[in-house]
Amino acid sequence: MEIPLVDLNAQYHSIKAEIDQAIQRVIDHSSFILGEEVRRFERAFADYVGAKDAVGVSSGTAALNLALRAVGVGPGDEVITTPLTFFATAEAISQTGARPVFVDIDDRTYNLDVEKIESVITAKTKAILPVHLYGHPADMGALLDMARRHKIWLIEDAAQAHGAKYRGQYCGAIGHLACFSFFPAKNLGAYGDAGAVTGNDDSLLERVRKLRDHGRVTKYEHEEIGFGERLDGLHAAILRAKLSHLDSWIEARRKIAHDYGMLLSDCDVVLPYEAPDVRHAYHLYVLRVNRRDEVLAHLKSRGIAAGIHYPVPLHRQPAYLKAGYGVNSFPITERIVREILSLPMYPELGAAQIGFIAQSIKEVAGR
Ligand SMILES: *Cc1c(COP(=O)(O)O)cnc(C)c1O
């Protein structure tokens, strides 16, 4: 039995007719960049997350970069974020000319430890950029409160959190702006690079809309220097077809997480935590185990593609070594990156596969 980490082909085959129709429609209308298809997806996605509007862009990284610029982040500024995330979170901050300031994580949710933020806020702090890591919402209530008190922006990196909820509200409509990635393997994925910025503030969204399309306000009038970071019609049409299935896919992910939890409950592992006031979207199902590399190798020998998200925290990435982040400043992150293990997780994963994966873990992790 070969079990991949994600299976995009299985998803395509479950909704093939809808996807094929959406693609054909875009080709028939030659609606390739922005236009009606993008507008309709933006509207549908904003309605889904409960935000006022959405702006489709070319990737999650572009969403982060443009959202940070829209609130005015630039050279000389500091933006607080987590060292345990995909590289693009900090990269987008650096692209604006600002400096990422890392804060250690909570050892249950693996998200920013809100208690540790206050002490790094300075006069240069312009924004906090929490990540809803693995699909578990960051502690948005406390973060919003802190952002208000210090008059700084709160931008959500929701690239892993389509369908996640915090106190009944979808991620994407809580902070000042939120950034989504539709990279193919995300909870909602395009067939290439794509992303969106969502929010409730018209003037901020307007700024993102302008920045994604060369600073343009009308066809021949460019008000500022922007970027070529527009969303394609094909991706928008595919994403809109998939959006109507997203909630049932999230439920399937949650069922798989529940089954993994039951099967591994007597095993010497730390299961993913779900805070009482959130709906975890399980973009990734991440355990902690001792002798992680041994477990990973054993799973591989059984044909199971597990992964590590992420083996190297951002303050130790070569690109940030010169920035002089203290190697010993993030002890929780350092401990956790040696123990985390991502198990296969996708809505179509079957009971037999889940049982086989759990059994294979038990063979090494013991009881
Ligand atoms: C995927 C991801 C991104 C970047 O998205 P792309 O669409 O690949 O540019 C940013 N942040 C996080 C947390 C991600 O998981």
Side-chain angles (χ1 to χ4, degrees):
M1 180 149 41
E2 289 284 326
I3 308 177
L5 192 62
V6 291
D7 188 346
L8 300 179
N9 205 257
Q11 188 192 61
Y12 169 60
H13 283 286
S14 74
I15 52 166
K16 183 176 185 309
E18 289 165 69
I19 297 285
D20 291 356
Q21 248 175 36
I23 292 172
Q24 193 57 52
R25 192 176 66 237
V26 174
I27 296 169
D28 288 344
H29 295 154
S30 300
S31 177
F32 296 120
I33 294 172
L34 295 181
E36 191 57 24
E37 285 293 346
V38 168
R39 194 60 209 126
R40 289 176 75 182
F41 170 66
E42 288 173 339
R43 200 52 263 151
F45 191 63
D47 289 345
Y48 174 82
V49 302
K52 195 154 180 197
D53 211 346
V55 182
V57 296
S58 58
S59 70
T61 310
L64 289 163
N65 179 20
L66 301 186
L68 290 166
R69 286 172 191 268
V71 299
V73 170
D77 294 334
E78 294 177 350
V79 177
I80 294 168
T81 194
T82 166
L84 186 64
T85 176
F86 178 57
F87 186 69
T89 308
E91 183 181 37
I93 297 169
S94 300
Q95 283 170 350
T96 70
R99 173 183 157 83
V101 172
F102 297 117
V103 165
D104 209 0
I105 58 172
D106 177 270
D107 69 355
R108 285 199 300 182
T109 64
Y110 314 134
N111 283 321
L112 270 181
D113 183 344
V114 177
E115 309 261 292
K116 295 187 180 129
I117 292 179
E118 200 100 38
S119 67
V120 303
I121 292 180
T122 70
K124 292 180 179 170
T125 308
K126 194 81 178 233
I128 307 175
L129 180 57
V131 179
H132 306 305
L133 195 70
Y134 310 146
H136 189 294
D139 187 357
M140 293 303 285
L143 288 167
L144 267 176
D145 185 55
M146 194 168 298
R148 275 195 203 110
R149 269 189 291 119
H150 292 275
K151 299 193 168 51
I152 52 184
W153 298 99
L154 181 61
I155 314 279
E156 301 171 58
D157 182 338
Q160 303 188 359
H162 325 64
K165 285 182 185 171
Y166 176 82
R167 296 186 185 158
Q169 205 179 350
Y170 279 101
C171 290
I174 307 172
H176 294 110
L177 287 173
C179 306
F180 287 90
S181 164
F182 305 120
F183 179 82
K186 301 284 159 106
N187 287 0
L188 179 64
Y191 287 175
D193 279 312
V197 178
T198 55
N200 292 312
D201 182 319
D202 285 328
S203 64
L204 293 180
L205 292 166
E206 230 14 76
R207 186 90 205 284
V208 176
R209 216 174 278 285
K210 193 161 46 164
L211 286 171
R212 77 170 166 184
D213 191 20
H214 306 289
R216 178 140 59 186
V217 281
T218 62
K219 191 165 164 72
Y220 296 114
E221 189 183 1
H222 303 265
E223 232 172 48
E224 63 179 309
I225 305 295
F227 299 84
E229 304 278 27
R230 301 167 299 212
L231 179 61
D232 295 333
L234 276 170
H235 294 314
I238 291 164
L239 289 165
R240 192 158 60 87
K242 285 187 170 194
L243 184 59
S244 58
H245 301 279
L246 182 56
D247 269 328
S248 71
W249 288 336
I250 301 295
E251 283 314 316
R253 287 175 181 275
R254 291 177 57 76
K255 167 82 169 50
I256 293 162
H258 175 263
D259 293 350
Y260 270 138
M262 296 297 280
L263 292 168
L264 294 169
S265 61
D266 60 349
C267 204
D268 186 19
V269 299
V270 180
L271 299 174
Y273 172 74
E274 181 179 41
D277 53 356
V278 313
R279 174 168 91 152
H280 198 318
Y282 290 105
H283 168 57
L284 293 166
Y285 186 88
V286 178
L287 298 169
R288 277 158 56 205
V289 288
N290 295 317
R291 297 181 291 137
R292 190 266 319 275
D293 293 339
E294 225 176 290
V295 178
L296 187 62
H298 180 68
L299 291 180
K300 195 171 172 203
S301 77
R302 288 277 190 273
I304 300 164
I308 304 171
H309 300 86
Y310 298 85
V312 182
L314 300 193
H315 61 278
R316 284 201 280 111
Q317 283 291 343
Y320 282 124
L321 281 186
K322 278 204 203 118
Y325 295 107
V327 174
N328 302 317
S329 309
F330 313 101
I332 310 284
T333 301
E334 293 292 356
R335 173 161 59 81
I336 278 165
V337 294
R338 290 195 297 268
E339 301 172 353
I340 46 180
L341 179 68
S342 312
L343 301 187
M345 171 54 88
Y346 49 92
E348 299 78 11
L349 190 62
Q353 295 164 309
I354 296 166
F356 179 66
I357 295 163
Q359 186 52 44
S360 305
I361 289 171
K362 284 185 185 182
E363 287 162 7
V364 200
R367 276 156 199 276

